[in-house]
Amino acid sequence: MIGVMGAGAFGTALAISLAGNGPVTLWARDKSHVAEMRATRDNARRLPGATLPVSLRVTAELGDLQHATTVLLAVPMQKLRTILAEHGAALAGKTLVACCKGVELDTQQGPVQVISEMVPEAMPAILTGPGFAHDIARGLPTAMTLACADALAGSALQDTLSTANLRLYRTTDTVGAELGGALKNVIAIACGAVMGAGLGESARAALMTRGYAEMQRMAQALGARPETLSGLSGFGDLALTCTSEQSRNTRLGHSIGRGEDFDPTVTVEGAATAHAVQIRARSMQIDMPITDVVCGLTKGQLRVEQAMDRLLSRPLKEEKC
């Protein structure tokens, strides 16, 4: 049996897709939310219109995951450590697959690192790449990256988590997979701000390209393989996230560009990640100008016009990573 912790849109979509292979248990902390999903067979709060199949069990009891050998952690990055601290004993010995994208603000660690630290008896992995929840839940074709440092465990996990519509490519480069998924959210905020401010698609293309160069610089400095960033978890996710308003990071950027308030109840991983990455980059003396302006934008310290002026006034240079 497979378990999924977190009944947000992405966790629910993965549970629906995986339930096509066999029994899946979806855990949510909120008992009233669980009662609603059981009664309606729909997650109207997070993924309306996606029917929960009969092979998908919804629960608020963590004990119902005791027989699951693989558990997907579809929880916000900034809450991952707290959830593992609370439930780590029950998850020991299992394969834990992070399904969140980000860098922890306090420690500058990625999700695989947090799992390894908090539940050392578990086998950590990460599922990341270009996949929107609504597409996965509707059975639309999606390809993503599955990263596990243990090659044999990763191969077995690839077979377990692949479905009729979800094609997984595996890698042992967990660092590259973590950073690709995290850093593209930062660039997506910048791209959304540009579009929200009406600065045009040419400006967005420039930010995507130079943002990809930032992603490569940071990832390679931390030991990631270049080909990982060129794959689904890096370039693929960047292309999807920066060009679609289905992305919460892009929508936040749009709101910033338009000078509008953004719903504070919506989790936007890229905002906290930008600040965590800025701290890490400065300590390692890595040049991350787009990340710097995203920090300024999300803190309200810069307007979009000021951010663009700062980027455009940088010294002219040869195009290199």
Side-chain angles (χ1 to χ4, degrees), residues 4-321:
V4 180
M5 291 184 68
F10 195 59
T12 302
L14 289 173
I16 290 171
S17 183
L18 289 164
N21 291 348
V24 174
T25 298
L26 176 63
W27 175 86
R29 184 187 299 272
D30 188 334
K31 292 184 178 181
S32 67
H33 189 195
V34 169
E36 287 175 17
M37 288 188 283
R38 285 177 171 174
T40 63
R41 302 308 297 174
D42 186 296
N43 187 351
R45 295 190 190 183
R46 297 290 183 261
L47 195 66
T51 302
L52 306 183
V54 294
S55 54
L56 175 56
R57 178 188 185 187
V58 185
T59 183
E61 301 298 328
L62 195 71
D64 290 335
L65 296 179
Q66 63 179 324
H67 298 300
T69 56
T70 299
V71 177
L72 278 60
L73 303 174
V75 299
M77 179 64 219
Q78 304 305 323
K79 295 181 179 179
L80 178 61
R81 184 179 295 272
T82 299
I83 288 173
L84 292 178
E86 184 176 352
H87 302 297
L91 298 173
K94 301 182 185 297
T95 297
L96 300 182
V97 184
C99 300
C100 46
K101 301 172 182 179
V103 176
E104 193 173 46
L105 184 55
D106 291 340
T107 67
Q108 294 85 59
Q109 291 181 337
V112 173
Q113 294 171 291
V114 173
I115 293 171
S116 297
E117 180 179 321
M118 299 302 295
V119 194
E121 304 87 354
M123 174 67 71
I126 183 169
L127 178 63
T128 185
F132 283 143
H134 282 282
D135 292 345
I136 294 171
R138 291 170 58 199
L140 299 179
T142 304
M144 301 182 72
T145 296
L146 175 67
C148 181
D150 186 309
L152 289 177
S155 181
L157 197 56
Q158 182 183 34
D159 291 338
T160 299
L161 299 182
S162 294
T163 71
N165 68 297
L166 183 58
R167 179 177 175 83
L168 303 183
Y169 289 80
R170 71 177 184 273
T171 179
T172 56
D173 183 11
T174 57
V175 174
E178 282 183 320
L179 289 171
L183 297 172
K184 60 87 186 176
N185 282 335
V186 179
I187 309 306
I189 294 173
C191 288
V194 159
M195 298 306 290
L199 298 179
E201 294 185 359
S202 297
R204 179 174 63 184
L207 277 174
M208 287 177 63
T209 306
R210 297 313 305 163
Y212 182 58
E214 285 195 20
M215 292 168 60
Q216 289 178 309
R217 282 198 297 274
M218 171 64 87
Q220 291 181 42
L222 292 174
R225 297 197 292 264
E227 60 268 25
T228 306
L229 273 293
S230 300
L232 291 163
S233 61
F235 177 77
D237 213 357
L238 178 73
L240 179 69
T241 306
C242 291
T243 58
S244 174
E245 289 196 47
Q246 286 193 63
S247 163
R248 288 168 291 183
N249 294 281
T250 297
R251 293 202 305 272
L252 171 62
H254 280 194
S255 296
I256 292 172
R258 294 169 181 156
E260 300 171 351
D261 292 332
F262 190 78
D263 184 352
T265 66
V266 175
T267 300
V268 182
E269 298 281 25
T273 293
H275 303 305
V277 169
Q278 185 185 59
I279 294 169
R280 188 70 178 271
R282 287 179 174 175
S283 70
M284 298 178 67
Q285 297 184 327
I286 302 171
D287 189 28
M288 304 280 281
I290 297 174
T291 299
D292 288 340
V293 299
V294 169
C295 287
L297 290 170
T298 55
K299 290 178 179 178
Q301 297 170 344
L302 285 177
R303 299 190 308 274
V304 176
E305 294 79 6
Q306 293 173 315
M308 289 306 297
D309 286 345
R310 180 176 296 185
L311 292 174
L312 292 172
S313 64
R314 286 169 53 82
L316 299 177
K317 57 185 288 189
E318 182 181 358
E319 186 175 38
K320 295 181 180 178
C321 178

